[in-house]
Every structure is written in C-alpha cells, then in structure tokens.
Amino acid sequence: GNLQIRANNLTLAESDNSKDYVQCIQDSTVKLYYDGTEKLSTTADGVTITGGSSTSANLTITSTATDDNIAPDLILYRNSASPADNDNLGGLEWQGNHSGGSVNSYAQITCMAEDVTDGTEDASLRFYTATNGSTTEKMRIDSSGNVGIGTTSPSQPFEVRKDQNSDTVIQVWNDTAGTGAAAALRIKSNSALGLITVQDDGYTSSGIYQAGTTTLFAASSSTGGLLLGTEGGHPIKFYTSATEKMRIASSGYVSIGTTEPDESQLRVLA
C-alpha cells in the first residue's frame, strides 16, 4: 500500500529532537540533514548542496556498472519550447567571497548553442576568469574545434592573441638541467617534419643536437629541404653578438661586414 503524511510542515528528527533528518516546509523548501547539519535544500531556482569543512568532495556521482562504456555522467539540459541561436545551455561557475565580504564570481565555463537548426546544430565552450574585478572570456573552443586564447573567433586549430605594446609570447619551457634536457617545437605536415629545438648546456651532443644551442632544421622526411626566405624586396640578415654580420639583399647579392651590398655578387668588408 501507500503511506501518505499530510501536514503544512513536516519534520523528521531524532527522538529527543536534538537533530533533524528532514524538513518539509509548506509552499517552500525541502531540506535534508546529516548529523544535524543541512546538506541539501530545494529552492525556487533549483537545489542547493552545502558541503562541510573537510577536503572531501561535496558531490560524488558513482556508477557500479560493469560495462566498460558506462560511467557516471552529469547532464545539463536546457528544456526549451522555443530554442534559439546563442542560447546559454548552462555552465559551471566558481564563486567565493572577496575582502569586502560579498560573493564574487571568479571563473566560469559556459556552453552556448550557436545554431539550433535541426541537423546543423553548432555550439561553443567559453572559459571565463576574473581579472581586475571583472569576469571576462579568456578562451573559446568553437564548433569547428578551433581553440582561441584571447580571441572569440579563432580561424585556426590553435590561435593566441593579445594586443599590447609588449611581447605576446607562446612559451615552451623545460626547466631541467641534464644530458637529455631539451625543449622543442615540432611541426609536421603528412610526412614532412620540421623542428626548432633548444638543448641544455649539459646536453650530450649528437649530430644536429648540440649542447647549449638553438637549432632550426628540416628532418630527413622533408625531402624539399630547408627554405629560408622573404617575400617582397626585403633582405635576409644574419646577426651574432646582437650585431649584423651578413646580409643577402633582395637582388641576391651577399655582403659580409657591411650592410650596403654593391654590384658585386659577394662583398666582404674586413
């Protein structure tokens, strides 16, 4: 049979009323307690889960399925009768108090439905962090899979943009000393491979990999070799000790020790 309890307000508690288990308040909240402390309550906006002071997770989703393809899932579903382009489908937000005591948003991840047309749906993930008191978008993964940092419209698989009167840098850093310590940027197109490498001073030199050097080279699979050039009427310049030592002018003339090639194909100034 069925058990029904009818009341304006309902509380389930220990026999001595020292600790509540459940509270049901008329036209309002349902609250669940653990050891006398509120852990979950319903609100007009949804459900609020309150954690404790330990480092344990406040919410754990567990699956006991034996199928390798089944795992715990968290689904955020916007049930809309009139979906529209650029609908916010939900997200995660990290909040905390600032020094003034008020609640502040420090970071967010949001999913936007950019196109809701049946069969051609598109979406993006947008990542926000707080900077100088404002939470602004810092990274986006668009519907094509392009990743943009500092741009909301990346046109390439990975694009970084920061407009400033200073260096905008992508850094590859290996802060380890040793015989095999190096850092590299590896660029590959089908079978062709090119690399920019930097070897530590203590690196064990071998072939083109030399200790304490920066190397630009085309691997053996790059059968067309290494091309170094410019477009337009601009020279190629070679520096050592922060001073220009050699130049190939747009005419093809080479000058060493001077920046002014004459009509000789090779000019050397001692």
Side-chain angles (χ1 to χ4, degrees):
N2 298 323
L3 173 64
Q4 292 185 348
I5 301 175
R6 298 178 182 274
N8 291 333
N9 298 302
L10 173 66
T11 299
L12 301 181
E14 288 195 358
S15 58
D16 60 359
N17 287 325
S18 61
K19 294 178 181 179
D20 290 340
Y21 297 142
V22 180
Q23 282 188 354
C24 302
I25 302 172
Q26 184 181 15
D27 299 327
S28 184
T29 298
V30 175
K31 298 181 179 181
L32 301 182
Y33 292 79
Y34 176 82
D35 196 23
T37 301
E38 181 184 322
K39 295 299 181 181
L40 182 147
S41 64
T42 60
T43 69
D45 297 320
V47 176
T48 299
I49 298 174
T50 304
S53 58
S54 71
T55 57
S56 300
N58 295 329
L59 175 63
T60 301
I61 302 175
T62 303
S63 171
T64 59
T66 58
D67 189 326
D68 292 342
N69 296 314
I70 298 177
D73 291 322
L74 176 63
I75 296 176
L76 305 180
Y77 170 42
R78 176 171 177 167
N79 187 0
S80 174
S82 55
D85 293 352
N86 297 314
D87 273 353
N88 185 332
L89 298 186
L92 301 176
E93 183 173 356
W94 288 261
Q95 295 182 347
N97 297 101
H98 57 55
S99 60
S102 298
V103 177
N104 186 70
S105 175
Y106 286 91
Q108 301 173 30
I109 302 175
T110 301
C111 177
M112 302 294 291
E114 297 179 343
D115 182 358
V116 298
T117 305
D118 186 10
T120 62
E121 299 90 338
D122 289 329
S124 65
L125 279 178
R126 305 177 185 187
F127 298 77
Y128 300 75
T129 59
T131 303
N132 294 324
S134 297
T135 303
T136 56
E137 183 177 340
K138 301 301 194 304
M139 186 176 79
R140 179 176 297 196
I141 304 175
D142 70 10
S143 60
S144 300
N146 293 341
V147 178
I149 298 177
T151 176
T152 60
S153 54
S155 59
Q156 302 297 327
F158 183 62
E159 185 173 334
V160 177
R161 178 173 179 175
K162 187 171 184 179
D163 300 327
Q164 58 180 348
N165 186 21
S166 185
D167 293 339
T168 295
V169 178
I170 297 177
Q171 183 165 290
V172 179
W173 190 348
N174 180 357
D175 196 21
T176 300
T179 57
L185 179 63
R186 183 183 295 260
I187 306 168
K188 195 172 191 297
S189 177
N190 195 14
S191 61
L193 174 66
L195 294 96
I196 302 174
T197 69
V198 180
Q199 288 71 237
D200 177 64
D201 290 342
Y203 189 89
T204 301
S205 297
S206 175
I208 58 174
Y209 299 101
Q210 296 294 310
T213 63
T214 299
T215 307
L216 168 65
F217 69 96
S220 59
S221 59
S222 297
T223 56
L226 177 67
L227 189 153
L228 179 65
T230 66
E231 286 188 337
H234 308 296
I236 299 175
K237 304 175 184 179
F238 298 83
Y239 280 67
T240 61
S241 300
T243 304
E244 183 179 337
K245 297 299 193 299
M246 186 175 79
R247 174 179 297 204
I248 303 175
S250 59
S251 61
Y253 296 152
V254 178
S255 61
I256 301 175
T258 175
T259 61
E260 299 296 335
D262 60 13
E263 295 306 315
S264 303
Q265 290 187 329
L266 174 64
R267 184 185 184 195
V268 179
L269 183 64

